[in-house]
Amino acid sequence: MVRFENVGMRFGPGPEVLRDVTFALEAGSFTFLTGPSGAGKTTLLKLMYLAEPPSRGLIDLFGRDLATTKRSQFPALRRRIGVVFQDFRLLDHLSAFENVALPLRLSGIRKIDYTHDVEELLSWVGLGDRLHAKPQTLSGGEQQRVAIARAVVARPDLLIADEPTGNVDPDMGERLIRLFSELNRMGTTVLIATHDRTVVERIKSREMRLVDGRLVELRMTRT
Amino acid sequence: MNLGLNSKRRNASRVVPREDGAAPLDIVIGVMAFLAALALGASLVADRAAESWRAGLVDRITVQILPPEHGLAQEALEKETDAALVVLRSTDGIVRAMPVSQEETLKLVEPWLGKDALVADLPLPRLIDASILPGANVNLAALTRRLKEAAPHSALDDHAHWIGRLKALADGVALFSYGILALIAIATAAIVSFATRAGLEAHHDIVGLLHQMGAHRSFVARAFERHYFVSALWAGAVGALLAGGLFLMAGGLEFAGVEPVPFLPPLSLRPLEVLWFVAVPFAAGIIALATARLSVLAALRKIY
């Protein structure tokens, strides 16, 4: 599903943020990416969701070597990836419903065909009564839930989440992790970057640890 | 196919919010449309005026008999005029040949020389106005020769020179109008391109997110182009309406008997010609749409 080989990344003339990163995510796997702040987690995710090209190394996504893949095929690859951004990146002029529906609109699906799914998903994350609220009227936790609903609504093949439980209470955090597990059971490959140890311990899944730009630890915590 | 396109348009709509600061752009496009409609109206008026001038002169010839320098001027003039009339009336294709009376000739020179009694004593040429059967092929060179034989002081004028100059003038005005229209179109495109880039900059986060979510460049372009198309359409309609109103008002004034500017053709447009003005807002919309699309596509090409 995802394969990184000796991937390095630097911004401009600065030092390398990622160094010789090599790993693979199997299809249908559930993986945590942990590490201290500034270790390069977000940069690694950016490379994976095609926001930046790597400075060196090979990235293989859905069986395609990105270096030899035409740019015109990137949108199709991106649509197979759901991303929960650390800063949510919701569109302020659209309602919660419209924000969540965005990936479906991008795929050309008609409103009549997605309205029910979007409403159901928003209810599931506890926002059934806030369908038409604009993001600026939602709390941080509510915005995060909208962002998560948007990332999963199109049932992506790969779900990448950057600190998805950072702004919600433990109960809601658990509910959201269950949503990810549910999605994973249905076949989606999940990668969650977090430094919330309780979440990592609860799921007991594979954990990759980034320290100072290197993937230093690669262990399975599954029991 | 059409349905699919509409649904694509609907999907792209409202993804980008309408900018709060868009009013200046609307005003500029409105003014551009107003100027474009004026230029268009001017070209229509010039074209029609030239056509009516041409229609009045084509198929007409004028024979001028100059008074001889020596001898009895009046008598010789009359004799040569009669001889020229005989030649003209015996020529195939000429349906009418009438001498212009002394009074009419005096009237023709009145604007330049005045009504003075002295003018009547001037050796004025005699004029013969003749009409050619429309479409008839009269050999003017041969006719000139025959006229010269019968009346040595005659000169034939088929107005070709004058018609040529009128045509050149009208063509010049039309060309000038097209030039102005082209300049307005270029200026409008430049403004919209500038505004699109500012819009892209302002909505950088939205564009980046859409791009990240796998939106095709054309989806993002549609979201922008639709916005600029609708703005330009409205602004263009207001501008064209104002210009059209101005022409209609000029027509109304002329109809009410107010004298138009001397030597200028009437400024009024016919109802059918006003329909041309409907094209102006659509042209503005299409220019805005195409420019916005190209600007967005060019900007998105630079993103990974």
Side-chain angles (χ1 to χ4, degrees):
Chain A
M1 176 70 58
V2 181
R3 192 161 58 93
F4 276 47
E5 264 179 39
N6 297 316
V7 171
M9 181 67 180
R10 68 166 82 236
F11 293 98
E16 275 199 322
V17 185
L18 292 177
R19 272 172 278 176
D20 296 318
V21 173
T22 299
F23 69 90
L25 298 182
E26 298 303 322
S29 62
F30 194 111
T31 310
F32 286 110
L33 178 66
T34 60
S37 296
K41 294 196 294 291
T42 301
T43 303
L44 178 67
L45 298 188
K46 275 187 175 172
L47 295 181
M48 205 183 289
Y49 61 70
L50 304 179
E52 302 275 357
S55 305
R56 62 186 173 89
L58 176 141
I59 298 179
D60 187 297
L61 200 62
F62 307 123
R64 284 163 183 269
D65 178 358
L66 293 185
T68 58
T69 302
K70 281 186 188 161
R71 287 279 198 89
S72 60
Q73 292 173 335
F74 276 23
L77 294 180
R78 288 189 178 109
R79 279 206 292 273
R80 295 174 66 182
I81 307 172
V83 185
V84 182
F85 300 98
Q86 196 170 8
D87 54 356
F88 320 140
R89 294 178 69 178
L90 300 177
L91 299 189
D92 285 339
H93 67 290
L94 299 183
S95 67
F97 175 90
E98 290 169 319
N99 266 290
V100 173
L102 208 50
L104 302 170
R105 277 172 74 180
L106 289 181
S107 302
I109 299 171
R110 292 180 308 164
K111 191 176 180 186
I112 192 166
D113 296 326
Y114 65 63
T115 300
H116 177 72
D117 289 352
V118 172
E119 285 176 357
E120 194 177 55
L121 184 57
L122 274 166
S123 299
W124 210 89
V125 295
L127 294 171
D129 55 345
R130 312 283 334 248
L131 293 178
H132 304 294
K134 294 281 168 68
Q136 56 269 37
T137 65
L138 298 172
S139 70
E142 287 172 328
Q143 288 186 33
Q144 189 154 38
R145 281 179 272 157
V146 174
I148 289 169
R150 184 182 65 191
V152 304
V153 71
R155 303 234 175 114
D157 293 327
L158 173 64
L159 179 80
I160 299 170
D162 199 356
E163 303 285 356
T165 55
N167 288 280
V168 293
D169 58 58
D171 280 354
M172 185 43 82
E174 192 170 335
R175 201 173 159 82
L176 292 175
I177 293 297
R178 257 176 45 215
L179 175 67
F180 293 144
S181 300
E182 191 65 36
L183 209 66
N184 177 238
R185 253 197 297 280
M186 287 162 69
T188 296
T189 307
V190 177
L191 177 72
I192 296 175
T194 184
H195 54 244
D196 185 348
R197 292 307 307 173
T198 54
V199 171
V200 179
E201 298 305 327
R202 194 181 306 133
I203 297 288
K204 300 223 179 297
S205 191
R206 179 187 176 192
E207 180 186 346
M208 301 193 304
R209 191 166 172 78
L210 253 183
V211 177
D212 211 13
R214 282 181 194 276
L215 216 51
V216 292
E217 198 179 343
L218 206 64
R219 66 184 173 89
M220 296 290 282
T221 52
R222 196 186 291 276
T223 49
Chain B
M1 182 70 199
N2 195 19
L3 252 172
L5 200 74
N6 282 340
S7 103
K8 274 183 187 172
R9 288 212 178 287
R10 231 186 352 261
N11 271 338
S13 70
R14 248 179 54 76
V15 171
V16 177
R18 174 160 172 82
E19 285 141 82
D20 296 331
L25 178 70
D26 294 348
I27 292 170
V28 173
I29 291 180
V31 171
M32 288 295 179
F34 176 74
L35 295 177
L38 282 189
L40 188 70
S43 82
L44 287 170
V45 165
D47 214 42
R48 187 147 50 80
E51 190 47 52
S52 74
W53 288 332
R54 260 203 304 268
L57 286 177
V58 87
D59 300 330
R60 296 284 281 276
I61 53 173
T62 303
V63 177
Q64 200 174 173
I65 321 276
L66 296 171
E69 286 169 23
H70 310 290
L72 282 168
Q74 202 55 38
E75 201 172 307
L77 259 183
E78 294 304 332
K79 231 167 93 184
E80 287 201 21
T81 306
D82 290 343
L85 274 170
V86 169
V87 170
L88 286 170
R89 285 171 180 160
S90 66
T91 304
D92 282 342
I94 291 183
V95 284
R96 191 189 61 95
M98 289 295 290
V100 177
S101 71
Q102 184 73 8
E103 292 78 49
E104 280 176 286
T105 311
L106 283 173
K107 239 184 212 162
L108 285 174
V109 296
E110 197 185 288
W112 285 271
L113 302 178
K115 264 185 183 171
D116 216 38
L118 214 65
V119 178
D121 295 337
L122 282 175
L124 291 171
R126 288 301 301 271
L127 300 171
I128 300 171
D129 182 27
S131 305
I132 298 173
L133 188 73
N137 194 9
V138 175
N139 185 340
L140 292 175
L143 181 61
T144 309
R145 232 178 7 254
R146 282 169 53 219
L147 279 169
K148 277 277 182 206
E149 281 166 13
H153 294 95
S154 69
L156 176 72
D157 182 6
D158 63 351
H159 310 297
H161 180 62
W162 181 235
I163 292 174
R165 289 188 64 180
L166 275 182
K167 187 172 156 28
L169 174 74
D171 288 351
V173 171
L175 212 65
F176 187 66
S177 304
Y178 297 147
I180 289 179
L181 284 176
L183 284 178
I184 290 172
I186 291 169
T188 308
I191 295 161
V192 172
S193 141
F194 195 71
T196 314
R197 256 177 271 165
L200 272 174
E201 202 58 49
H203 300 308
H204 184 75
D205 49 340
I206 299 176
V207 173
L209 178 75
L210 292 173
H211 180 71
Q212 196 55 67
M213 293 173 96
H216 278 287
R217 289 202 299 258
S218 54
F219 180 94
V220 183
R222 267 200 300 278
F224 275 88
E225 75 193 16
R226 187 184 172 281
H227 165 78
Y228 287 106
F229 175 73
V230 173
S231 286
L233 195 68
W234 276 110
V238 172
L241 206 69
L242 285 177
L246 211 63
F247 275 102
L248 286 179
M249 208 166 73
L253 283 180
E254 278 165 24
F255 188 72
V258 177
E259 278 276 320
V261 187
F263 300 113
L264 272 188
L267 287 175
S268 58
L269 290 174
R270 293 175 186 151
L272 265 180
E273 287 173 333
V274 175
L275 278 182
W276 272 100
F277 284 47
V278 176
V280 170
F282 284 101
I286 287 166
I287 289 171
L289 185 142
T291 312
R293 183 174 185 81
L294 292 177
S295 309
V296 173
L297 290 180
L300 289 179
R301 221 166 278 135
K302 292 180 191 151
I303 308 178
Y304 174 59

